[in-house]
Amino acid sequence: MRLLQSLILGIPVVVAGSPVLVERAPTAPFGLFAYGEGIGGAPVFTTGDGAYIGTATHTDDSEAAQVEFITATDSSLLANPNVTAANEPTWSNLTFNVPDNTTSSHQVGFTNTTTDGKRSGFGFVFYGEFLLHKSVEGDLESMWYAVPSDQDGIWSLNWNSTDDDTEGKVLVTLKATPPSKEVDNENKA
Ligand SMILES: *[C@@H]1O[C@H](CO)[C@@H](O)[C@H](O)[C@H]1NC(C)=O
Ligand SMILES: *[C@@H]1O[C@H](CO)[C@@H](O)[C@H](O)[C@H]1NC(C)=O
Ligand SMILES: *[C@@H]1O[C@H](CO)[C@@H](O)[C@H](O)[C@H]1NC(C)=O
Ligand SMILES: *[C@@H]1O[C@H](CO)[C@@H](O)[C@H](O)[C@H]1NC(C)=O
Ligand SMILES: *[C@@H]1O[C@H](CO)[C@@H](O)[C@H](O)[C@H]1NC(C)=O
């Protein structure tokens, strides 16, 4: 199937209409991991606002923590810090969201409300292990990409790379499955 092939290859996809998805979201709390060229399953983390990928504890921000997601009403995803992974930040119960096409910022984010005019905090669906977003028109989209930050191994997690010419951006897919080996993806032959 074309959708699955594109996702496996890490190609951004938009599928018009509402194909029937048989897969369901995880029922237990889960982490999200980004996969793309040179990014072998880096976890999603936040400092309580923007979304990033990489190892939260490699930043020196005490609010930075890997995110533990749960699915909620309207296919929204609520975010809490995974404190097993280290820091104990002050934020909790934030709503994951993607910017809409009227927003100049491409960064995926977290807010403490489900309604933020220019962002969509609902419509997140899983196709197998892949996280997609369903637009209000019913189109299924996977348009995740990563933009390097000024810190090695930390990327900003963004949405919709169309018209974004940032150097070094990497198209990624988001999955609820961690990499089979924690680290050292680069060292694999
Ligand atoms: C929380 O972090 C620990 C340690 O990194 C990890 O083993 C566990 O799977 C994470 N839990 C979730 C729900 O992401
Ligand atoms: C992606 O960005 C382009 C250019 O800004 C815009 O035309 C398009 O509607 C956007 N798509 C989505 C799904 O937001
Ligand atoms: C943004 O998305 C809406 C709804 O899909 C669409 O009608 C509009 O043309 C898009 N705007 C741009 C600039 O792409
Ligand atoms: C929600 O976030 C805004 C801005 O970050 C903050 O000013 C406000 O106090 C927060 N509200 C709650 C209920 O946490
Ligand atoms: C968590 O956030 C959701 C969405 O904003 C809200 O409906 C719910 O009441 C919040 N739960 C707690 C325990 O604050």
Side-chain angles (χ1 to χ4, degrees), residues 96-159:
F96 186 60
N97 63 60
V98 292
D100 73 11
N101 64 2
T102 62
T103 315
S104 56
S105 164
H106 288 267
Q107 194 176 14
V108 175
F110 295 87
T111 49
N112 58 9
T113 154
T114 46
T115 49
D116 172 335
K118 300 193 159 189
R119 296 186 157 261
S120 176
F122 52 87
F124 295 99
V125 292
F126 279 88
Y127 182 73
E129 290 288 334
F130 295 99
L131 180 65
L132 307 178
H133 180 253
K134 194 177 208 168
S135 72
V136 282
E137 290 78 28
D139 298 343
L140 276 178
E141 303 157 344
S142 174
M143 305 184 85
W144 314 105
Y145 70 105
V147 168
S149 73
D150 50 17
Q151 199 177 342
D152 239 19
I154 306 286
W155 292 266
S156 161
L157 176 63
N158 286 15
W159 177 254

Side-chain angles (χ1 to χ4, degrees), residues 31-33 43-46 54 56-57 64-68 80-83 85 91:
L32 284 173
F33 303 87
V44 171
F45 77 89
T46 185
T57 49
Q66 190 176 320
V67 178
E68 188 174 293
N80 284 293
N82 179 339
V83 291
W91 57 268

